[in-house]
Amino acid sequence: MSATSPNQIDVEADVVDSESKPNRQLSYGKITNDALWTNNAGMVQLLGLCPLLAVTGNIINGLGLGIATIITLTCSNMIIAFTRNWVRKEIRIPYYVLVIASIVTIIDLSMNAITPELHSVLGIFIPLIVTNCLIIGRAEAFASKNDIPRATLDGFMMGVGFTLVLVALGAIREILGSGTLLSGASLMFGSIAESWTLTLFDNYQGFLLAILPPGAFLVMGLLIALKNVIDNRIKAKQA
Amino acid sequence: MNSIKALLSNLVSADDSHATAMKKAGLSLAIFAFISVFFVAITDKLTAGKIAENQAAMLLNALNEIAPQNSYDNDLIASKVIVNKTEFNKTKSNKSAIGFMNNTPVYLATKNGQAATAIFEVTTNKGYSGAITLLVGVSASSQTITGVRVVKHKETPGLGDKMEIKKTPPNKTPWVLDFNNKSLSKPELSAWNVKKDNGEFDQFTGATITPRAIVNAVKSTLLYAQDNMNALFTIEIQSNKTNQESN
């Protein structure tokens, strides 16, 4: 992870110039807007692609990874913003790795003890988060340069933006791949959700490509294209 | 707290010589590592007992699906025997039993000192993508299957994972329930295969390897149980008796 993350961060710093200027205080509205759309973690920064593509075979898995990411990212941004004045810049990357790995371990252990049912669903996603460049990317690009409330909001909103992409990707792949929506919802929401699963086509044989990783890349590409189309339309209207 | 803050602030000052900077960087990283490890260790200490408890409860839940709570009266989790995998694989009538990866824990359910059900936790490596772990319950008296559940696997989502009851669409009967009440004579031994291999068991559309692995694993377990059921229970029942006598 540490071998690739510096590159990721450089790329990202080019994308969003405003965040690399340390002393400028961003408004909360702009942070939210950036995280959810303009600088979306999944579709613009393209961070954390490995878990993103690996688990989004259906909505519920996407939602599971999303929730786990929101928790981790909010905590890590908060802690890194809190300690930002005490960390020498030479050791900041190992420091981020240390903080993120500790947070993930603590969340994993606590969830396993407190909510074993939820852990049996989200448990497989939590180790995936350690390998997620998104977390260290936000630590470097935002949390280390902003105050605690802004960094916390950024972490939470980036997580939400990431979750939205995961859910959209999961929904499209689930419809194409297995012809259902929300299958397995009862794993996450309990027995009330048993009737939530929608079977869209009867006797659908499934389109295997959509469920496997290559399908994830294709759908992801289409989603990014769709976002660009929307952005261009907005620009054209404003002009 | 304030002294730590002062120390940390001192460690960040920028106008150091190269050597001092390195020393300070190392020291502050060590401090942060210590703090992180401290929190992780505390969390581990606080949660370890609860986690072990939860896992035992989950295992018991899974076992109770195969051997209902009223069908036994011993401590199911404690009465566990480990069958060595080489022994499992070389049983005389079990030559076809290939692919068991791990030593197999067997949970022995007894009622009133009589053998009731043996639940084998077998792991086969014949799955489509790696190991599949199953719980196979075999009735001690009739040598029939009391239930099969898949507990761990990495099969293709949407295809191979239909053997999980949770992943079965609500309007269909879960595939693993087909095994209930089957035995080595029902169907014939030669029919203990998926339909593609001229057997009796359904495969899934687009996934034959997963059901084949499971059918073969269950068959091998039955073959092992046929030869060793009494031996497994003898030790368990005797140790129960000695316990009761010493009580």
Side-chain angles (χ1 to χ4, degrees), chain A residues 1-12 41-42 45-52 65 69 72-73 76-77 80 93 96-97 100 104 127-142 158 162:
Chain A
M1 184 182 76
S2 52
T4 58
S5 40
N7 291 335
Q8 297 272 12
I9 290 158
D10 287 343
V11 171
E12 196 207 356
Q45 302 178 61
L46 297 179
L47 290 176
L49 281 186
C50 163
L52 180 128
L65 176 66
T69 309
T72 317
L73 192 51
S76 81
N77 262 17
I80 283 165
I93 301 290
Y96 301 151
V97 175
I100 294 163
V104 171
L128 283 175
I129 294 177
V130 183
T131 65
N132 194 333
C133 297
L134 172 61
I135 319 277
I136 204 170
R138 291 326 290 169
E140 165 74 4
F142 197 94
M158 276 290 166
F162 190 63

Side-chain angles (χ1 to χ4, degrees), chain B residues 60 63-64 67 72 74-80 107-109 117 119:
Chain B
L60 192 62
L63 294 177
N64 280 343
Y72 64 94
N74 60 334
D75 182 355
L76 195 47
I77 291 190
S79 30
K80 177 166 109 174
Y107 300 92
L108 300 165
T117 315
I119 302 173

